[in-house]
Amino acid sequence: MLALLAQISTFGHGLAAVLFAMIAIWQFQRKGERNGVQISLVIALAMTSFWALTVSVEGAFSAISNFSESLRNLGWLTFMFVLLRTGEGRNEPKSINVIYVALALVLISQVGVDSLIPIFEGSPRLGSMAAYTSLVLRMLFAVGALVLVHNLYSISAPETRWGIRLPMASLAAIWTYDLNLFTITYLTQQFSVELTAMRGPAMACIAPILALASVRNTEWKLKLSRSVAFRSLSLVAIGGYLLMMIVIATALEIIGGDYARLAQISFLFGTSIAALLLLPSGKFRAWFKVKLAKNFFQHRYDYRAEWVRFTDTIGRPGNDSAPFHERVVKAIADITDSPAGILLMPDDSGRLALQSRWNWPTIQVPARACTSRTVPFFEETGHIIEFDALRADQSDLAEQIDLGAIPEWMTNDPQTWAAVPLVHFDRLAGIVLLARPRVNRTLDWEDLDMLRVVGRQVASYLAEARSQESLSEAQRFDEFNRRMAFIMHDIKNLVSQLSLLARNAKKHADNPEFQTDMIATLQDSADKMNGLLERLSQHNKAKPEEPKPVKVAALLQSIIEKKRLLHAIESTQIDDLTAMADPARVDQILGHLIQNAIDASPDGQPILLNARRRDLSVAIEVLDRGEGMSSEFIRSQLFKPFASSKDGGFGIGAFEARSLAMAMNGRLEVESKEGSGSRFTLILPLASHLSEDETEEERAAQNA
C-alpha cells in the first residue's frame, strides 16, 4: 500500500510539474505586450512546477521540497499583489501592503525555521520544536492566504469579477488542501501519507483550470475597500497574536526548567486576560481605529460607508427609533466617534434654544443659549469651532473667530469638543455641540470638510422638517377654514329660514296650528345650530353613517312639513320607493336645494318636490320658477366653491350637495334656463336587499 501511494505521489507530482511548466512557457511566449500581471503569473507557474518536480524527485519531506513550497507560495502571493496594484485599488496601498508584508514575513520565518531542522538533528527536543513551529507557520500562511483570496474576489468590480473567478478558485483550492493536510498533521502528530500522496494529482487537476483562466482574460481588475482592509488586518493581527503566544510558550518550555509548566500557564492566562480586557473596550477600538486610519490610509474616512451610515441614522423609520432631532445629533456624532451631543435650534424669536440631546444629560444649557452675535457669526462664516483651541490661546484665534459670538457656557464645560453649524442657504438652521471623543484628538482638514458637508445636509433635513411642520399647520388651518365655510353657509340658511318664519309670524301669529308648527321649526333650527357647533369643534370625530335602506316618501314628507311654514312646497308624484342613503345627508342635500329654490323663487310661487323611479335609481327633483342660470355658469361655476349668482350667496350649497351625494354613491343633476327656473335632481341607488313586505310595496309603487 505504501509503495502504491509512493508511486501515485511521484507520478502525480511529476504530471503537475509538466503541466505547470507547459502553461508557464505558453504564457511566456504569448504575443502582445507583457504586463506585470503576466510576468508575475509566469513566475508563479514556474515556481509551482519547480516545487512539484522537487517533491517528485526528492520526496515530500525533503529540505529542497520545503524550500520550493515556500517559493511557490511566495510566487502566488506576488501574483496577487501585482494584480491588486495594477487594478483600481492602488489608491490605498498602505493597508493592503501590511497584509502582504505579514504573509511574506510568515514565509521568511518558515524558510528560516526549515533551515534549522537539519541543524537540530542531534537534539531531538530542538528538532521537534523546529518542526512544530514550521507546521504552525504553514497553517498560519494557509489561513491568511485564504482570507486574502476571499477578500480580493469579494471587492472586485462586478463587471470584472468573472475574469478572476477561476484563478482565485484555483488558489483557494491549493491552500485549502494545504490547510487540511497541515491541520491533520498537527492534530495527529504525524503526516498523512494518503493526503501527501494525492497532493500531486490534485495540483495536476488545478493546472487546466489556470490555463482556462488565462485564455478567458489576461487583465484582471480589483478594487480594495476599507472595510476589507480592516477585516484582513484584524485577522492578520489575531494570527500574529496567536503565533506570538505559541512561540513564547514553547520558549518558556525550553528554558523554564522545573517551572516551565507554571510559566506557560501564567503567560497564557495573562495574555488571554489582556485580550479580553482590551478587545471589548470602546476606547481601545477607537484608539486602534484612529491609529490605523492615520498610518495606513490616505484618507481618514471611508466616505461611502460614512454616508450610508449617516443616511441610515437620519432616515430610520419605525416607532422604536429615536426622535428625529435626536437622530440628527447621533448621525453627526458617529462620524467623529463622539459619545454625546446636543442640538440647538432657533426659536420663534430667532434665539438659539436647546432642541434635543443625545447621551449628554450632564451639560447645562441656559435658557439664553447664545449671544446676540452668535447667529450672525455662524451664518456669515459657517466656522466649525474647536473648543480646545479656544481654551489654549484665544489671542491667536481672535482674527478668525468672533469670540463674543461663542457663549461662555460652551467654553467653560471641559467636555465640549466641537460646534458644528448647520447652515441652509445662508440661514442658520441649528448648531450641533459634540462631546469629547473617547480618544482625544484635534480636528484636521478632513474632519472639517466632512463636518461641513454633513452640516449642510443636516441643515437641509431640518429645513425640510420645519417646512413640513408649517405645511401641516397650514393644512390644519385650511381644514378649519373649509369646515367654517360650510358651517357659515348652513348658518346663512338657518338665518334665512328664521327670517321667513318671523315674517310669516306677523300674518299667522294668532293661528294655533301655526304656533305649533313654529315651535317645532324653532326646535329643529336650534338642534341644527348645536350640530353645527359640534362640527366646528376640532374634537368632533363623528363620521357619517353608512348608506342604508331609507323610505323616500316618508323622508320627503318630513322635509315638506318642516319647510311649509317658510315657503309653499307642492308635489305631483312621490313614489313609495326605498333608496340606499344616509337620511341625515339626504336631509342636508335637500335642505340646500330647497333653500336655494326658495331664494330664487318669487313670493307666491310654489316649489315642486317629486320622487320617481329611474331605472335602478331613485330620482328626487326640486323645481323652482326663478330666474334660472346660464349653461356657462352651470358648466364652469355652479359646483365650484365660493361661486354664486345670488347677492350675498356663499357659493357653497351646490358644491356641498354634490359632494354629499357622491359620498352615498349618488349624483346630482341640474337643468336650468335663464328666465325659466331650475330643476335639481338627486339620484340615489335603489335598495337591493329588502324584506318581502317592502318588495311588494315597491312593486305596487312601480305599477301605480
Side-chain angles (χ1 to χ4, degrees):
M1 182 65 180
L2 292 177
L4 177 61
L5 291 175
Q7 291 180 356
I8 292 176
S9 176
T10 300
F11 287 106
H13 284 88
L15 177 61
V18 172
L19 292 177
F20 276 95
M22 292 173 61
I23 298 173
I25 295 172
W26 169 59
Q27 282 289 315
F28 183 76
Q29 294 180 344
R30 291 187 70 175
K31 296 181 179 180
E33 183 180 357
R34 295 189 181 93
N35 53 33
V37 177
Q38 291 174 325
I39 295 174
S40 61
L41 177 61
V42 170
I43 294 175
L45 291 169
M47 290 182 175
T48 305
S49 176
F50 175 68
W51 163 77
L53 180 63
T54 56
V55 174
S56 178
V57 175
E58 298 291 335
F61 309 111
S62 63
I64 186 64
S65 298
N66 292 336
F67 178 73
S68 61
E69 179 186 331
S70 300
L71 288 181
R72 182 205 69 179
N73 291 336
L74 181 62
W76 288 116
L77 191 65
T78 303
F79 166 73
M80 289 194 296
F81 179 74
V82 176
L83 179 64
L84 173 75
R85 292 300 301 272
T86 56
E88 298 177 3
R90 57 181 179 271
N91 292 328
E92 297 177 335
K94 292 184 179 179
S95 59
I96 199 64
N97 284 350
V98 172
I99 303 174
Y100 282 109
V101 168
L103 292 177
L105 289 176
V106 171
L107 283 178
I108 295 173
S109 302
Q110 179 182 316
V111 173
V113 173
D114 288 342
S115 63
L116 295 177
I117 294 177
I119 299 176
F120 292 155
E121 285 183 353
S123 175
R125 189 174 184 179
L126 293 177
S128 176
M129 177 183 173
Y132 175 79
T133 304
S134 175
L135 183 62
V136 171
L137 289 173
R138 280 175 163 78
M139 292 171 59
L140 285 176
F141 179 85
V143 171
L146 287 173
V147 170
L148 186 60
V149 168
H150 168 72
N151 288 338
L152 290 180
Y153 177 76
S154 63
I155 63 175
S156 60
E159 65 273 11
T160 59
R161 188 173 291 176
W162 68 273
I164 65 169
R165 183 177 293 120
L166 290 180
M168 292 298 107
S170 301
L171 294 179
I174 293 173
W175 284 314
T176 299
Y177 195 100
D178 289 354
L179 180 61
N180 290 330
L181 174 62
F182 300 140
T183 302
I184 292 175
T185 303
Y186 175 81
L187 295 176
T188 61
Q189 298 297 314
Q190 59 182 358
F191 279 97
S192 173
V193 180
E194 293 82 0
L195 288 177
T196 303
M198 295 303 298
R199 201 177 181 190
M203 292 295 295
C205 294
I206 292 174
I209 300 177
L210 286 172
L212 179 61
S214 301
V215 173
R216 288 179 59 179
N217 191 17
T218 58
E219 296 181 0
W220 302 301
K221 296 181 180 179
L222 295 174
K223 183 177 181 180
L224 185 67
S225 71
R226 184 181 297 254
S227 59
V228 171
F230 272 114
R231 291 197 299 267
S232 301
L233 283 173
S234 300
L235 289 171
V236 171
I238 292 172
Y241 177 77
L242 294 175
L243 176 62
M244 180 195 70
M245 291 180 61
I246 293 172
V247 172
I248 295 179
T250 306
L252 289 174
E253 183 180 1
I254 296 174
I255 65 176
D258 296 335
Y259 298 99
R261 181 61 60 185
L262 178 61
Q264 283 180 311
I265 294 174
S266 300
F267 171 75
L268 293 175
F269 179 78
T271 51
S272 300
I273 292 297
L276 291 175
L277 291 175
L278 288 177
L279 294 180
S281 171
K283 187 172 183 178
F284 174 78
R285 290 198 302 270
W287 173 85
F288 181 73
K289 184 177 179 181
V290 169
K291 294 300 181 183
L292 200 61
K294 181 178 180 180
N295 296 288
F296 294 106
F297 292 103
Q298 183 178 357
H299 299 290
R300 177 186 298 275
Y301 297 104
D302 183 347
Y303 291 98
R304 177 185 176 278
E306 293 293 342
W307 200 251
V308 169
R309 181 175 65 176
F310 169 79
T311 53
D312 286 345
T313 303
I314 287 286
R316 178 172 296 142
N319 297 328
D320 57 340
S321 60
F324 169 70
H325 292 101
E326 188 174 325
R327 298 200 306 269
V328 165
V329 181
K330 184 179 185 303
I332 296 180
D334 285 344
I335 292 175
T336 57
D337 288 329
S338 296
I342 62 173
L343 173 63
L344 305 174
M345 291 184 64
D347 56 16
D348 295 336
S349 62
R351 297 282 185 175
L352 291 177
L354 178 63
Q355 176 67 38
S356 180
R357 65 173 73 222
W358 175 68
N359 291 347
W360 204 349
T362 58
I363 189 171
Q364 300 297 324
V365 181
R368 191 182 180 89
C370 68
T371 69
S372 59
R373 294 147 61 181
T374 302
V375 174
F377 167 73
F378 283 111
E379 287 182 343
E380 293 174 3
T381 65
H383 199 92
I384 297 175
I385 303 300
E386 189 174 3
F387 289 100
D388 287 343
L390 289 180
R391 298 185 187 103
D393 188 0
Q394 296 187 1
S395 60
D396 293 343
L397 300 175
E399 297 181 358
Q400 304 176 15
I401 300 175
D402 182 2
L403 300 179
I406 311 302
E408 292 185 1
W409 66 269
M410 294 184 183
T411 309
N412 293 338
D413 193 322
Q415 288 301 313
T416 56
W417 183 60
V420 182
L422 313 176
V423 182
H424 182 66
F425 292 118
D426 299 328
R427 295 296 300 273
L428 186 67
I431 295 177
V432 172
L433 200 63
L434 299 177
R436 191 176 304 279
R438 295 181 178 90
V439 178
N440 193 22
R441 61 183 179 85
T442 59
L443 294 171
D444 57 20
W445 65 270
E446 196 169 1
D447 293 315
L448 297 177
D449 286 347
M450 187 71 170
L451 291 175
R452 285 192 187 97
V453 173
V454 171
R456 286 196 293 268
Q457 186 67 23
V458 168
S460 67
Y461 281 124
L462 292 176
E464 182 179 358
R466 178 161 291 185
S467 298
Q468 290 294 334
E469 291 177 1
S470 300
L471 179 60
S472 177
E473 184 176 347
Q475 288 175 342
R476 289 195 295 270
F477 273 109
D478 182 68
E479 176 61 26
F480 179 82
N481 293 334
R482 178 187 177 91
R483 192 185 311 156
M484 190 65 181
F486 287 118
I487 290 174
M488 289 298 295
H489 179 269
D490 293 341
I491 292 175
K492 182 187 78 68
N493 288 344
L494 289 174
V495 170
S496 300
Q497 293 177 12
L498 294 175
S499 299
L500 289 172
L501 184 63
R503 187 166 62 245
N504 292 334
K506 295 179 181 180
K507 302 177 182 178
H508 309 287
D510 297 334
N511 187 344
E513 184 179 354
F514 178 83
Q515 293 175 0
T516 302
D517 291 341
M518 182 178 65
I519 293 173
T521 302
L522 290 174
Q523 183 63 47
D524 181 67
S525 298
D527 293 340
K528 287 185 176 180
M529 287 183 180
N530 289 327
L532 293 177
L533 292 176
E534 291 180 0
R535 288 168 56 192
L536 189 60
S537 172
Q538 62 176 338
H539 303 292
N540 179 32
K541 304 298 183 181
K543 295 182 178 179
E545 294 184 7
E546 292 295 325
K548 60 183 180 181
V550 176
K551 287 292 187 179
V552 174
L555 181 61
L556 295 185
Q557 190 63 39
S558 173
I559 293 174
I560 291 174
E561 290 295 327
K562 293 178 183 178
K563 300 292 186 180
R564 66 191 182 96
L565 292 179
L566 306 177
H567 198 91
I569 300 178
E570 299 178 355
S571 62
T572 59
Q573 180 183 359
I574 298 181
D575 295 341
D576 190 12
L577 302 172
T578 304
M580 289 297 295
D582 174 16
R585 282 187 280 191
V586 174
D587 182 81
Q588 191 174 356
I589 293 171
L590 295 178
H592 285 313
L593 299 180
I594 292 173
Q595 186 61 45
N596 287 342
I598 292 173
D599 294 339
S601 299
D603 293 339
Q605 183 69 43
I607 296 171
L608 295 179
L609 183 62
N610 298 319
R612 59 175 58 90
R613 180 185 175 112
R614 183 193 292 182
D615 297 329
L616 298 178
S617 303
V618 178
I620 303 174
E621 300 174 344
V622 179
L623 298 88
D624 67 71
R625 294 293 182 263
E627 297 180 356
M629 299 172 288
S630 66
S631 58
E632 176 62 24
F633 179 83
I634 294 173
R635 184 185 63 81
S636 61
Q637 299 187 52
L638 176 61
F639 294 112
K640 296 293 181 61
F642 311 113
S644 177
S645 60
K646 298 183 296 184
D647 294 338
F650 281 77
I652 294 293
F655 171 76
E656 185 177 15
R658 187 178 68 167
S659 300
L660 293 172
M662 294 173 63
M664 296 184 293
N665 297 320
R667 65 183 187 275
L668 188 63
E669 298 177 352
V670 59
E671 301 175 27
S672 184
K673 187 176 181 181
E674 290 181 296
S676 300
S678 303
R679 179 199 304 266
F680 284 86
T681 305
L682 173 62
I683 308 297
L684 295 173
L686 275 172
S688 57
H689 302 289
L690 302 175
S691 65
E692 294 182 0
D693 295 339
E694 291 173 331
T695 303
E696 291 296 330
E697 294 176 0
E698 293 291 324
R699 291 173 180 171
Q702 295 172 16
N703 296 328

